[in-house]
Amino acid sequence: MVHSRRILIVEDEQDLADMLVYNLKKAGFQPFCAHDGPSAVQAALASTPDLIILDLMLPGLPGTEVARQVRTHPRTSKVPILMLTARADESDQVAGLSVGADDYVTKPFSMKVLLARVTALLRRVGGEVTGGASVRVGSLSADLAAHTVSVDGVEAKLTLTEFKLLVALMQAPKRVLSRNDLISRVMGPGIVVTARTIDVHIAALRKKLGSCGGMIRTIRGVGYQLTEEVGSPDPASSEIA
Ligand code: CA
């Protein structure tokens, strides 16, 4: 469960970039750098980091434009962005947030503050599943704090991924979620999986849910849907949506 989060640092001031790399490494992250706008966009798209620390004033392309491009691309649209701005200029901060930065830190900043913001942002993104109470659909019930699922009151032993998948479906009952929806809800940014991986997890999940397995329906060519009725899980073919 503990893997080191990959953080893209976009900063043209070499000293500051080095200091960020040093401190993020020390805090257990896996930082890597880009030093201008265009290579920042390239690096983000090529490696889908878990978080981007983005300086606003950059050669080649301003930080706001980098943020806009990162937000536009489906692969990186949900990667949290922490913007670095100049203290004096409040309009910079507004500009940064309006193009999709999640938070900003003004220069000069203390490493302590920066690390706290990074950690908070990562927690916010990774924590969708925790914090609520419980969800219930038909005979299925999920306890979001305890990370447990029960079928007719009997606990089903799920992996974390299976649990998150099921909760994503339970939180959107009757809605059809595409495999890409599920990937982004379950895997979080920075983890590259194929749609086929989702099919495999769903197949395993159905088995573990026993009599409730049929509540997860395959909508061919689209994705998956959770219904209250137990149907035949995949009417026509295998688990492939
Ligand atoms: Ca700069």
Side-chain angles (χ1 to χ4, degrees):
M1 179 70 227
V2 182
H3 72 286
S4 106
R5 307 289 201 122
R6 290 156 54 254
I7 298 180
L8 171 59
I9 300 164
V10 186
E11 172 58 73
D12 57 315
E13 287 166 58
Q14 190 66 51
D15 289 354
L16 183 51
D18 289 349
M19 200 167 71
L20 284 165
V21 166
Y22 174 80
N23 282 280
L24 287 165
K25 262 192 192 152
K26 221 171 84 181
F29 297 107
Q30 226 184 300
F32 59 111
C33 287
H35 302 288
D36 61 62
S39 62
V41 174
Q42 245 175 22
L45 294 183
S47 62
T48 323
D50 293 295
L51 182 135
I52 300 173
I53 296 175
L54 178 60
D55 185 30
L56 198 61
M57 301 279 282
L58 289 170
L61 208 58
T64 47
E65 189 49 35
V66 173
R68 198 192 314 277
Q69 292 191 21
V70 163
R71 278 284 167 270
T72 309
H73 201 282
R75 193 187 305 157
T76 49
S77 64
K78 298 212 170 62
V79 175
I81 297 175
L82 179 63
M83 196 80 101
L84 304 179
T85 66
R87 166 160 304 196
D89 202 343
E90 198 175 87
S91 65
D92 277 3
Q93 294 153 11
V94 175
L97 295 177
S98 73
V99 292
D102 298 278
D103 199 359
Y104 62 86
V105 170
T106 51
K107 288 179 172 181
F109 50 83
S110 80
M111 275 300 155
K112 222 175 170 178
V113 166
L114 183 107
L115 287 173
R117 296 291 187 84
V118 165
T119 309
L121 257 185
L122 286 171
R123 195 181 304 132
R124 205 196 293 170
V125 177
E128 303 153 4
V129 158
T130 55
S134 66
V135 202
R136 172 175 281 280
V137 179
S139 314
L140 276 181
S141 120
D143 183 323
L144 302 184
H147 275 216
T148 55
V149 166
S150 60
V151 180
D152 285 324
V154 179
E155 191 182 336
K157 294 261 179 251
L158 305 185
T159 65
L160 183 63
T161 301
E162 289 160 2
F163 175 80
K164 287 184 166 186
L165 266 176
L166 182 62
V167 168
L169 287 163
M170 289 176 81
Q171 284 176 330
K174 295 191 182 134
R175 266 186 51 205
V176 179
L177 298 180
S178 73
R179 289 179 295 182
N180 282 337
D181 286 339
L182 289 168
I183 288 170
S184 66
R185 277 162 202 244
V186 171
M187 301 298 179
I191 300 179
V192 181
V193 296
T194 64
R196 178 64 193 154
T197 309
I198 294 293
D199 296 336
V200 172
H201 285 305
I202 292 278
L205 181 56
R206 279 185 180 132
K207 253 185 214 142
K208 291 187 181 177
L209 295 180
S211 60
C212 285
M215 288 169 65
I216 303 175
R217 305 187 65 97
T218 303
I219 308 300
R220 295 245 275 159
V222 188
Y224 295 100
Q225 176 192 41
L226 188 80
T227 59
E228 272 196 47
E229 317 81 61
V230 178
S232 155
D234 17 61
S237 70
S238 65
E239 297 84 21
I240 315 283

